[in-house]
Amino acid sequence: MALNLNILVGTQTGVAQLVAQEIELRLDGEGMNIRTLLMDDIDTSVFGNGGVFLICTSTYGQGDVPDGAKPFYEELLKKRPDLVAVRYGLIGLGDKGTHAKTFCFGAKKFDSVLTELGAVRIGEPLFNDSGTDLPEDEAAEWIVGWIELCRKEFGVEAST
Ligand SMILES: Cc1cc2nc3c(=O)[nH]c(=O)nc-3n(C[C@H](O)[C@H](O)[C@H](O)COP(=O)(O)O)c2cc1C
């Protein structure tokens, strides 16, 4: 049985999108169905009847989600859909050197609201500090362990 993964990308200048592409490349041949969507283009109906989601978002302004991700984030706060059937992982992109007080707050905001709505996070988040680690490289390494956790959670064997 293939694992279906939905990657939801929040980005201001495209780095989070590159990270998602790198993850797709890293997982190529692992017997997974991956769908990557920009938060700019979705609403809360994306969660449907649940499933496995990877939130991959940067932080802008003063600890805000990226501009294009705001309507999606605000709809979650307002509509408060029941997300008990949602399992998710979290990748936050930020810069600790220049934004220490709001480091990765965009991703942390999604983490809070998803948990409040009943979704269950799988594993620890990856919070990338672009000042020290290249986001694409760190994410491509991190995803391997995260996918293992997902396979254990759902009892899905790797196909390779
Ligand atoms: C104007 C501006 C504001 C930012 N604010 C924050 C912030 O509050 N916290 C943080 O951790 N990173 C902050 N960052 C860093 C970005 O989140 C980081 O560079 C990220 O890799 C950009 O990814 P993106 O291209 O996907 O948006 C900010 C960057 C800019 C240019």
Side-chain angles (χ1 to χ4, degrees):
M1 188 178 71
L3 193 64
N4 295 317
L5 173 64
N6 303 279
I7 307 179
L8 307 187
V9 176
T11 185
Q12 194 84 16
T13 60
V15 178
Q17 209 167 1
L18 284 179
V19 166
Q21 280 167 7
E22 197 63 34
I23 286 174
E24 287 199 44
L25 284 175
R26 182 65 190 79
L27 296 178
D28 191 33
E30 297 274 337
M32 301 184 53
N33 298 322
I34 303 178
R35 178 169 76 138
T36 297
L37 300 165
L38 272 182
M39 289 185 189
D40 308 47
D41 302 330
I42 57 175
D43 57 35
T44 56
S45 67
V46 73
F47 291 112
N49 295 324
V52 188
F53 293 81
L54 179 61
I55 309 296
C56 177
T57 183
S58 65
T59 301
Y60 265 78
Q62 309 242 327
D64 298 324
V65 304
D67 291 342
K70 273 184 188 162
F72 176 58
Y73 175 66
E74 278 158 15
E75 196 193 352
L76 281 168
L77 292 176
K78 202 169 157 206
K79 277 201 181 162
R80 308 195 68 74
D82 180 351
L83 300 183
V84 288
V86 168
R87 299 291 175 273
Y88 72 98
L90 187 70
I91 296 180
L93 306 183
D95 186 340
K96 217 181 226 169
T98 43
H99 303 279
K101 286 194 180 142
T102 55
F103 179 58
C104 284
F105 270 28
K108 288 172 187 172
K109 283 180 172 171
F110 274 105
D111 197 26
S112 297
V113 72
L114 292 176
T115 300
E116 266 173 47
L117 298 175
V120 178
R121 198 183 69 222
I122 297 178
E124 289 302 312
L126 168 65
F127 293 126
N128 173 262
D129 175 8
S130 59
T132 57
D133 291 295
L134 203 61
E136 305 93 290
D137 289 356
E138 200 178 22
E141 249 184 75
W142 176 90
I143 196 69
V144 177
W146 187 75
I147 289 296
E148 267 316 298
L149 290 177
C150 290
R151 290 195 198 283
K152 278 189 193 139
E153 167 99 8
F154 297 104
V156 178
E157 293 295 322
S159 71
T160 53

mmCIF file of all heavy atoms in Angstrom, residues 86-123:
data_model
loop_
_atom_site.group_PDB
_atom_site.id
_atom_site.type_symbol
_atom_site.label_atom_id
_atom_site.label_comp_id
_atom_site.label_asym_id
_atom_site.label_seq_id
_atom_site.Cartn_x
_atom_site.Cartn_y
_atom_site.Cartn_z
ATOM 1 N N VAL A 86 -6.401 13.955 10.932
ATOM 2 C CA VAL A 86 -5.207 14.482 10.255
ATOM 3 C C VAL A 86 -3.943 14.145 11.061
ATOM 4 O O VAL A 86 -3.893 14.323 12.274
ATOM 5 C CB VAL A 86 -5.315 16.026 10.079
ATOM 6 C CG1 VAL A 86 -3.981 16.633 9.657
ATOM 7 C CG2 VAL A 86 -6.397 16.347 9.056
ATOM 8 N N ARG A 87 -2.929 13.642 10.365
ATOM 9 C CA ARG A 87 -1.596 13.429 10.943
ATOM 10 C C ARG A 87 -0.647 14.337 10.170
ATOM 11 O O ARG A 87 -0.730 14.420 8.947
ATOM 12 C CB ARG A 87 -1.147 11.969 10.797
ATOM 13 C CG ARG A 87 -2.072 10.984 11.517
ATOM 14 C CD ARG A 87 -1.952 11.133 13.036
ATOM 15 N NE ARG A 87 -2.911 10.292 13.745
ATOM 16 C CZ ARG A 87 -4.164 10.664 14.043
ATOM 17 N NH1 ARG A 87 -4.626 11.843 13.667
ATOM 18 N NH2 ARG A 87 -4.940 9.863 14.719
ATOM 19 N N TYR A 88 0.244 15.020 10.887
ATOM 20 C CA TYR A 88 1.071 15.977 10.157
ATOM 21 C C TYR A 88 2.492 16.051 10.703
ATOM 22 O O TYR A 88 2.760 15.701 11.849
ATOM 23 C CB TYR A 88 0.431 17.374 10.167
ATOM 24 C CG TYR A 88 0.485 18.080 11.509
ATOM 25 C CD1 TYR A 88 1.476 19.018 11.794
ATOM 26 C CD2 TYR A 88 -0.455 17.807 12.502
ATOM 27 C CE1 TYR A 88 1.521 19.671 13.020
ATOM 28 C CE2 TYR A 88 -0.411 18.443 13.731
ATOM 29 C CZ TYR A 88 0.583 19.378 13.991
ATOM 30 O OH TYR A 88 0.633 20.000 15.204
ATOM 31 N N GLY A 89 3.379 16.495 9.814
ATOM 32 C CA GLY A 89 4.744 16.813 10.192
ATOM 33 C C GLY A 89 4.962 18.294 9.940
ATOM 34 O O GLY A 89 4.174 18.940 9.239
ATOM 35 N N LEU A 90 6.027 18.832 10.526
ATOM 36 C CA LEU A 90 6.216 20.275 10.463
ATOM 37 C C LEU A 90 7.654 20.648 10.124
ATOM 38 O O LEU A 90 8.591 20.225 10.800
ATOM 39 C CB LEU A 90 5.852 20.867 11.831
ATOM 40 C CG LEU A 90 5.809 22.377 11.956
ATOM 41 C CD1 LEU A 90 4.620 22.959 11.180
ATOM 42 C CD2 LEU A 90 5.705 22.787 13.426
ATOM 43 N N ILE A 91 7.781 21.446 9.066
ATOM 44 C CA ILE A 91 9.076 22.045 8.743
ATOM 45 C C ILE A 91 8.906 23.564 8.777
ATOM 46 O O ILE A 91 8.044 24.116 8.084
ATOM 47 C CB ILE A 91 9.577 21.631 7.345
ATOM 48 C CG1 ILE A 91 9.831 20.122 7.300
ATOM 49 C CG2 ILE A 91 10.864 22.388 6.986
ATOM 50 C CD1 ILE A 91 10.322 19.622 5.939
ATOM 51 N N GLY A 92 9.691 24.214 9.610
ATOM 52 C CA GLY A 92 9.666 25.675 9.685
ATOM 53 C C GLY A 92 10.983 26.218 9.136
ATOM 54 O O GLY A 92 12.051 25.676 9.423
ATOM 55 N N LEU A 93 10.871 27.274 8.344
ATOM 56 C CA LEU A 93 12.074 27.951 7.849
ATOM 57 C C LEU A 93 12.151 29.320 8.496
ATOM 58 O O LEU A 93 11.140 30.036 8.550
ATOM 59 C CB LEU A 93 12.016 28.122 6.330
ATOM 60 C CG LEU A 93 11.763 26.878 5.499
ATOM 61 C CD1 LEU A 93 11.816 27.220 4.025
ATOM 62 C CD2 LEU A 93 12.746 25.774 5.826
ATOM 63 N N GLY A 94 13.322 29.657 8.985
ATOM 64 C CA GLY A 94 13.470 30.968 9.618
ATOM 65 C C GLY A 94 14.920 31.377 9.682
ATOM 66 O O GLY A 94 15.788 30.730 9.094
ATOM 67 N N ASP A 95 15.152 32.459 10.387
ATOM 68 C CA ASP A 95 16.505 32.980 10.517
ATOM 69 C C ASP A 95 16.697 33.440 11.956
ATOM 70 O O ASP A 95 16.163 34.472 12.366
ATOM 71 C CB ASP A 95 16.675 34.139 9.526
ATOM 72 C CG ASP A 95 18.104 34.650 9.492
ATOM 73 O OD1 ASP A 95 18.855 34.401 10.460
ATOM 74 O OD2 ASP A 95 18.469 35.309 8.508
ATOM 75 N N LYS A 96 17.452 32.638 12.701
ATOM 76 C CA LYS A 96 17.630 32.911 14.131
ATOM 77 C C LYS A 96 18.497 34.141 14.363
ATOM 78 O O LYS A 96 18.283 34.894 15.311
ATOM 79 C CB LYS A 96 18.288 31.695 14.780
ATOM 80 C CG LYS A 96 17.780 31.385 16.169
ATOM 81 C CD LYS A 96 18.501 30.180 16.726
ATOM 82 C CE LYS A 96 17.514 29.220 17.341
ATOM 83 N NZ LYS A 96 18.078 27.922 17.672
ATOM 84 N N GLY A 97 19.463 34.340 13.482
ATOM 85 C CA GLY A 97 20.395 35.447 13.658
ATOM 86 C C GLY A 97 19.699 36.796 13.657
ATOM 87 O O GLY A 97 19.958 37.643 14.513
ATOM 88 N N THR A 98 18.771 36.998 12.724
ATOM 89 C CA THR A 98 18.112 38.304 12.612
ATOM 90 C C THR A 98 16.718 38.317 13.244
ATOM 91 O O THR A 98 16.142 39.381 13.435
ATOM 92 C CB THR A 98 17.984 38.725 11.136
ATOM 93 O OG1 THR A 98 17.571 37.615 10.367
ATOM 94 C CG2 THR A 98 19.300 39.245 10.602
ATOM 95 N N HIS A 99 16.167 37.146 13.540
ATOM 96 C CA HIS A 99 14.783 37.093 14.073
ATOM 97 C C HIS A 99 14.692 36.121 15.249
ATOM 98 O O HIS A 99 13.797 35.268 15.293
ATOM 99 C CB HIS A 99 13.810 36.669 12.970
ATOM 100 C CG HIS A 99 13.847 37.558 11.763
ATOM 101 N ND1 HIS A 99 13.185 38.766 11.706
ATOM 102 C CD2 HIS A 99 14.486 37.436 10.586
ATOM 103 C CE1 HIS A 99 13.410 39.331 10.530
ATOM 104 N NE2 HIS A 99 14.197 38.545 9.831
ATOM 105 N N ALA A 100 15.619 36.262 16.190
ATOM 106 C CA ALA A 100 15.696 35.298 17.295
ATOM 107 C C ALA A 100 14.376 35.213 18.076
ATOM 108 O O ALA A 100 13.933 34.132 18.454
ATOM 109 C CB ALA A 100 16.830 35.674 18.238
ATOM 110 N N LYS A 101 13.731 36.380 18.288
ATOM 111 C CA LYS A 101 12.534 36.389 19.143
ATOM 112 C C LYS A 101 11.313 35.778 18.461
ATOM 113 O O LYS A 101 10.343 35.416 19.133
ATOM 114 C CB LYS A 101 12.213 37.822 19.571
ATOM 115 C CG LYS A 101 13.183 38.327 20.613
ATOM 116 C CD LYS A 101 12.676 39.590 21.272
ATOM 117 C CE LYS A 101 13.680 40.078 22.307
ATOM 118 N NZ LYS A 101 13.781 41.538 22.307
ATOM 119 N N THR A 102 11.340 35.731 17.133
ATOM 120 C CA THR A 102 10.183 35.176 16.416
ATOM 121 C C THR A 102 10.624 34.025 15.512
ATOM 122 O O THR A 102 10.022 33.774 14.474
ATOM 123 C CB THR A 102 9.490 36.267 15.568
ATOM 124 O OG1 THR A 102 10.473 36.864 14.703
ATOM 125 C CG2 THR A 102 8.842 37.328 16.423
ATOM 126 N N PHE A 103 11.675 33.316 15.957
ATOM 127 C CA PHE A 103 12.244 32.265 15.111
ATOM 128 C C PHE A 103 11.189 31.202 14.768
ATOM 129 O O PHE A 103 10.602 30.585 15.662
ATOM 130 C CB PHE A 103 13.444 31.629 15.820
ATOM 131 C CG PHE A 103 14.075 30.505 15.026
ATOM 132 C CD1 PHE A 103 14.566 30.733 13.751
ATOM 133 C CD2 PHE A 103 14.162 29.228 15.562
ATOM 134 C CE1 PHE A 103 15.138 29.702 13.013
ATOM 135 C CE2 PHE A 103 14.732 28.195 14.836
ATOM 136 C CZ PHE A 103 15.211 28.431 13.554
ATOM 137 N N CYS A 104 10.945 31.051 13.477
ATOM 138 C CA CYS A 104 10.013 30.034 12.956
ATOM 139 C C CYS A 104 8.595 30.150 13.524
ATOM 140 O O CYS A 104 7.880 29.141 13.623
ATOM 141 C CB CYS A 104 10.569 28.634 13.183
ATOM 142 S SG CYS A 104 11.899 28.233 12.024
ATOM 143 N N PHE A 105 8.187 31.348 13.901
ATOM 144 C CA PHE A 105 6.842 31.519 14.466
ATOM 145 C C PHE A 105 5.739 31.154 13.467
ATOM 146 O O PHE A 105 4.662 30.744 13.862
ATOM 147 C CB PHE A 105 6.637 32.953 14.972
ATOM 148 C CG PHE A 105 7.024 33.153 16.411
ATOM 149 C CD1 PHE A 105 8.000 32.356 17.003
ATOM 150 C CD2 PHE A 105 6.425 34.157 17.176
ATOM 151 C CE1 PHE A 105 8.370 32.541 18.335
ATOM 152 C CE2 PHE A 105 6.782 34.342 18.513
ATOM 153 C CZ PHE A 105 7.755 33.542 19.087
ATOM 154 N N GLY A 106 6.006 31.343 12.172
ATOM 155 C CA GLY A 106 4.990 30.980 11.162
ATOM 156 C C GLY A 106 4.631 29.509 11.291
ATOM 157 O O GLY A 106 3.456 29.136 11.388
ATOM 158 N N ALA A 107 5.656 28.664 11.324
ATOM 159 C CA ALA A 107 5.422 27.217 11.462
ATOM 160 C C ALA A 107 4.810 26.906 12.824
ATOM 161 O O ALA A 107 3.908 26.057 12.936
ATOM 162 C CB ALA A 107 6.738 26.459 11.287
ATOM 163 N N LYS A 108 5.270 27.609 13.852
ATOM 164 C CA LYS A 108 4.745 27.353 15.206
ATOM 165 C C LYS A 108 3.268 27.720 15.298
ATOM 166 O O LYS A 108 2.491 27.080 16.026
ATOM 167 C CB LYS A 108 5.588 28.098 16.256
ATOM 168 C CG LYS A 108 6.969 27.461 16.434
ATOM 169 C CD LYS A 108 7.906 28.282 17.311
ATOM 170 C CE LYS A 108 9.304 27.656 17.285
ATOM 171 N NZ LYS A 108 10.326 28.472 17.943
ATOM 172 N N LYS A 109 2.862 28.743 14.552
ATOM 173 C CA LYS A 109 1.437 29.116 14.534
ATOM 174 C C LYS A 109 0.599 27.994 13.927
ATOM 175 O O LYS A 109 -0.478 27.659 14.432
ATOM 176 C CB LYS A 109 1.237 30.418 13.750
ATOM 177 C CG LYS A 109 1.650 31.636 14.553
ATOM 178 C CD LYS A 109 1.445 32.913 13.774
ATOM 179 C CE LYS A 109 1.682 34.114 14.701
ATOM 180 N NZ LYS A 109 1.712 35.377 13.982
ATOM 181 N N PHE A 110 1.086 27.411 12.834
ATOM 182 C CA PHE A 110 0.347 26.287 12.240
ATOM 183 C C PHE A 110 0.310 25.098 13.201
ATOM 184 O O PHE A 110 -0.718 24.428 13.344
ATOM 185 C CB PHE A 110 0.957 25.878 10.893
ATOM 186 C CG PHE A 110 0.418 26.691 9.748
ATOM 187 C CD1 PHE A 110 1.185 27.681 9.169
ATOM 188 C CD2 PHE A 110 -0.866 26.491 9.276
ATOM 189 C CE1 PHE A 110 0.684 28.453 8.124
ATOM 190 C CE2 PHE A 110 -1.382 27.256 8.226
ATOM 191 C CZ PHE A 110 -0.603 28.237 7.654
ATOM 192 N N ASP A 111 1.439 24.858 13.866
ATOM 193 C CA ASP A 111 1.499 23.740 14.816
ATOM 194 C C ASP A 111 0.419 23.915 15.893
ATOM 195 O O ASP A 111 -0.313 22.981 16.205
ATOM 196 C CB ASP A 111 2.899 23.720 15.454
ATOM 197 C CG ASP A 111 3.231 22.407 16.128
ATOM 198 O OD1 ASP A 111 2.675 21.360 15.733
ATOM 199 O OD2 ASP A 111 4.062 22.421 17.057
ATOM 200 N N SER A 112 0.314 25.116 16.430
ATOM 201 C CA SER A 112 -0.666 25.371 17.507
ATOM 202 C C SER A 112 -2.088 25.169 17.020
ATOM 203 O O SER A 112 -2.876 24.481 17.665
ATOM 204 C CB SER A 112 -0.559 26.813 18.015
ATOM 205 O OG SER A 112 0.683 27.023 18.563
ATOM 206 N N VAL A 113 -2.423 25.764 15.881
ATOM 207 C CA VAL A 113 -3.820 25.697 15.454
ATOM 208 C C VAL A 113 -4.198 24.272 15.042
ATOM 209 O O VAL A 113 -5.292 23.791 15.358
ATOM 210 C CB VAL A 113 -4.166 26.743 14.364
ATOM 211 C CG1 VAL A 113 -3.554 26.415 13.019
ATOM 212 C CG2 VAL A 113 -5.676 26.889 14.229
ATOM 213 N N LEU A 114 -3.296 23.567 14.393
ATOM 214 C CA LEU A 114 -3.622 22.193 13.975
ATOM 215 C C LEU A 114 -3.850 21.309 15.209
ATOM 216 O O LEU A 114 -4.797 20.513 15.251
ATOM 217 C CB LEU A 114 -2.510 21.618 13.087
ATOM 218 C CG LEU A 114 -2.351 22.278 11.707
ATOM 219 C CD1 LEU A 114 -1.168 21.710 10.957
ATOM 220 C CD2 LEU A 114 -3.630 22.114 10.871
ATOM 221 N N THR A 115 -2.983 21.465 16.206
ATOM 222 C CA THR A 115 -3.145 20.677 17.438
ATOM 223 C C THR A 115 -4.466 21.015 18.126
ATOM 224 O O THR A 115 -5.199 20.130 18.565
ATOM 225 C CB THR A 115 -1.954 20.933 18.389
ATOM 226 O OG1 THR A 115 -0.773 20.551 17.707
ATOM 227 C CG2 THR A 115 -2.058 20.127 19.661
ATOM 228 N N GLU A 116 -4.756 22.312 18.191
ATOM 229 C CA GLU A 116 -6.033 22.748 18.805
ATOM 230 C C GLU A 116 -7.228 22.104 18.115
ATOM 231 O O GLU A 116 -8.247 21.820 18.744
ATOM 232 C CB GLU A 116 -6.187 24.258 18.616
ATOM 233 C CG GLU A 116 -5.686 25.098 19.767
ATOM 234 C CD GLU A 116 -5.754 26.563 19.355
ATOM 235 O OE1 GLU A 116 -6.801 27.016 18.813
ATOM 236 O OE2 GLU A 116 -4.737 27.235 19.554
ATOM 237 N N LEU A 117 -7.126 21.913 16.805
ATOM 238 C CA LEU A 117 -8.248 21.391 16.023
ATOM 239 C C LEU A 117 -8.279 19.856 15.992
ATOM 240 O O LEU A 117 -9.094 19.266 15.298
ATOM 241 C CB LEU A 117 -8.205 21.960 14.595
ATOM 242 C CG LEU A 117 -8.340 23.491 14.527
ATOM 243 C CD1 LEU A 117 -8.156 23.989 13.100
ATOM 244 C CD2 LEU A 117 -9.697 23.939 15.063
ATOM 245 N N GLY A 118 -7.385 19.236 16.739
ATOM 246 C CA GLY A 118 -7.445 17.777 16.890
ATOM 247 C C GLY A 118 -6.458 16.996 16.049
ATOM 248 O O GLY A 118 -6.362 15.773 16.179
ATOM 249 N N ALA A 119 -5.709 17.681 15.171
ATOM 250 C CA ALA A 119 -4.715 16.977 14.356
ATOM 251 C C ALA A 119 -3.571 16.508 15.263
ATOM 252 O O ALA A 119 -3.307 17.119 16.305
ATOM 253 C CB ALA A 119 -4.168 17.907 13.267
ATOM 254 N N VAL A 120 -2.909 15.424 14.859
ATOM 255 C CA VAL A 120 -1.830 14.869 15.681
ATOM 256 C C VAL A 120 -0.513 14.964 14.919
ATOM 257 O O VAL A 120 -0.418 14.475 13.790
ATOM 258 C CB VAL A 120 -2.122 13.391 16.044
ATOM 259 C CG1 VAL A 120 -0.968 12.811 16.859
ATOM 260 C CG2 VAL A 120 -3.437 13.287 16.816
ATOM 261 N N ARG A 121 0.460 15.616 15.549
ATOM 262 C CA ARG A 121 1.763 15.740 14.892
ATOM 263 C C ARG A 121 2.561 14.459 15.044
ATOM 264 O O ARG A 121 2.584 13.857 16.121
ATOM 265 C CB ARG A 121 2.551 16.915 15.475
ATOM 266 C CG ARG A 121 3.685 17.349 14.543
ATOM 267 C CD ARG A 121 4.533 18.448 15.123
ATOM 268 N NE ARG A 121 5.295 17.924 16.247
ATOM 269 C CZ ARG A 121 5.477 18.561 17.384
ATOM 270 N NH1 ARG A 121 4.958 19.756 17.578
ATOM 271 N NH2 ARG A 121 6.177 18.016 18.353
ATOM 272 N N ILE A 122 3.190 14.045 13.952
ATOM 273 C CA ILE A 122 4.074 12.886 13.991
ATOM 274 C C ILE A 122 5.500 13.409 14.107
ATOM 275 O O ILE A 122 5.953 14.198 13.274
ATOM 276 C CB ILE A 122 3.927 12.034 12.710
ATOM 277 C CG1 ILE A 122 2.495 11.480 12.633
ATOM 278 C CG2 ILE A 122 4.945 10.911 12.678
ATOM 279 C CD1 ILE A 122 2.213 10.665 11.398
ATOM 280 N N GLY A 123 6.196 12.995 15.139
ATOM 281 C CA GLY A 123 7.611 13.351 15.303
ATOM 282 C C GLY A 123 7.830 14.799 15.706
ATOM 283 O O GLY A 123 6.894 15.594 15.838
#
